[in-house]
Amino acid sequence: MNLQQLRCICEVAQQSLNLTKAAKTLFTSQPGISRQILHLEEELGVKIFARSGKRLVAITEPGKEIIRIAQRVLLDTRQLKEVGQEFGQETSGELTIATTHTQARYVLPPVVKRFVKLHPKVKLSLRQGNPKEIAQMAIGGHADFAIATEAISLYEELVSFECYRWNRCVLVLPEHALLKVKPLTLKALAQYPIITYDLSFAGRSMMDKAFAAQGLTPNVALAAIDADVIKTYVSLGLGVGVVAAMAYDRKQDRAFRMIEAEHLFEPSVTRLGIRRHSYLRGYAYDFIEMFAPHLTRDVITDALHR
C-alpha cells in the first residue's frame, strides 16, 4: 500500500468515477490509475469500485469506508509537511479558501487586502463554488477552510463556526411601484417577478420560508448564482431583485433603488467550516481572525480537537 494508490482512489471518487479526468488531475495515465486501484484492491482483499466490464460504475460499501480513511490519511500527510513548514518557513506558504461568489466579491476583499499586506510571501487562493461544493473542498483537503451561508453546518466532518448574521434587501429600478409601499410587505413583493439566488445559495431557503409562512408563493422569474447576475437582469426590467444586503453598494449601484427588507425575513448566518483535527498554519488563523475577530486561535483549536 502506498500514498499514490490512496491518491488514485480518492481522485477517482472526486471525479465521479471518471478515470480520464482523474488521470489528468494526477498527471498520470488512465491505465496507470487502473493498475494502482487493482493492486490496492488485491492487497486489501475487497473491491473498492463496482465494475461493468472495464468501466467503474459505483463505489462499493467497503470502498466508501476505505476512501474516507484514505482521504484522512492524505490530509494528515499534508499536515505533517505543514508542521515542518510552520517552523522552518514561518512567513511563507499557501492558503486556499473555498467560498461563494457573494463572500469573495462583497465581503472578503478588505480582509484579503489586509492579509496580503501582512503576509506578502503567502500564496492566497480563492476557490469558488456553491455551498455544497465548497464544503466538499474543505472535507477533501482541497481547501484549508470553507466560508458560506448554507451547508457548512450539515457535515459532520467539518467543525462549523458562526461568523456573522446578515439579511436581504430588495433592488428595483427608479420609480418602481414598490417604492411607494411603506413598509414593504411580502404580499406586495409577491405581485412582481422576483430575481434572486439559486436554491443552493445565500440563504434562499429563508426567503422561501418567509413567503410560505404567510401562505404566499413568490414568483421567482429567474434564479442566479450571484448578485451581479441578479442586478443585470433587474436593470433589464425583468423583475425585482432580492439580494444579500451586503451586495448593495450605494455608489456603484446608482441604477437601482434599495428597499430595506430585514423586517420580512429571518437573518441568515455565514459560517466558516474547517475539517476536524486539521492543522492550520499560523497565517491561516490570522486570516480567520481578520474575517471574524471573535474566532481566535484558541477558540478554533479547542473546537477542532475536541
Side-chain angles (χ1 to χ4, degrees), residues 247-297:
Y248 173 72
D249 186 308
R250 189 177 299 275
K251 293 182 179 180
Q252 295 185 5
D253 296 325
R254 295 177 181 176
F256 308 107
R257 298 294 179 268
M258 188 272 285
I259 304 175
E260 297 284 353
E262 291 187 359
H263 61 291
L264 300 180
F265 307 104
E266 292 182 23
S268 292
V269 179
T270 291
R271 295 182 178 275
L272 182 143
I274 308 174
R275 186 184 173 92
R276 292 186 185 279
H277 307 295
S278 289
Y279 176 83
L280 297 179
R281 301 282 299 274
Y283 51 71
Y285 290 106
D286 289 344
F287 187 100
I288 293 170
E289 195 165 352
M290 290 176 190
F291 176 63
H294 62 286
L295 296 180
T296 63
R297 184 168 188 158

Side-chain angles (χ1 to χ4, degrees), residues 84-222:
Q85 292 171 349
E86 176 74 22
F87 296 96
Q89 297 177 335
E90 297 182 6
T91 61
S92 63
E94 298 182 5
L95 178 63
T96 301
I97 301 166
T99 190
T100 61
H101 172 88
T102 297
Q103 300 296 327
R105 169 69 175 81
Y106 297 103
V107 182
L108 292 180
V111 180
V112 169
K113 184 177 180 179
R114 287 178 59 198
F115 179 83
V116 170
K117 185 175 181 179
L118 182 63
H119 297 286
K121 295 183 180 180
V122 175
K123 180 182 178 182
L124 178 63
S125 300
L126 297 180
R127 299 187 63 180
Q128 295 181 46
N130 66 44
K132 291 182 180 179
E133 290 171 342
I134 67 174
Q136 289 295 342
M137 291 180 199
I139 291 170
H142 302 290
D144 294 284
F145 49 82
I147 299 173
T149 296
E150 305 281 4
I152 297 295
S153 61
L154 302 179
Y155 295 88
E156 293 183 359
E157 300 94 330
L158 298 177
V159 180
S160 170
F161 301 89
E162 180 175 327
C163 298
Y164 65 92
R165 292 174 177 253
W166 59 269
N167 216 306
R168 297 141 193 80
C169 67
V170 175
L171 299 182
V172 297
L173 294 176
E175 302 183 2
H176 194 282
L178 281 180
L179 292 168
K180 298 179 181 180
V181 181
K182 298 183 178 181
L184 180 65
T185 64
L186 289 175
K187 184 176 181 180
L189 187 57
Q191 295 176 18
Y192 296 90
I194 294 174
I195 304 173
T196 191
Y197 298 101
D198 180 79
L199 284 169
S200 62
F201 279 84
R204 167 68 185 276
S205 60
M206 290 293 189
M207 188 195 85
D208 293 345
K209 180 180 177 182
F211 278 101
Q214 295 192 18
L216 299 170
T217 301
N219 176 18
V220 179
L222 180 67

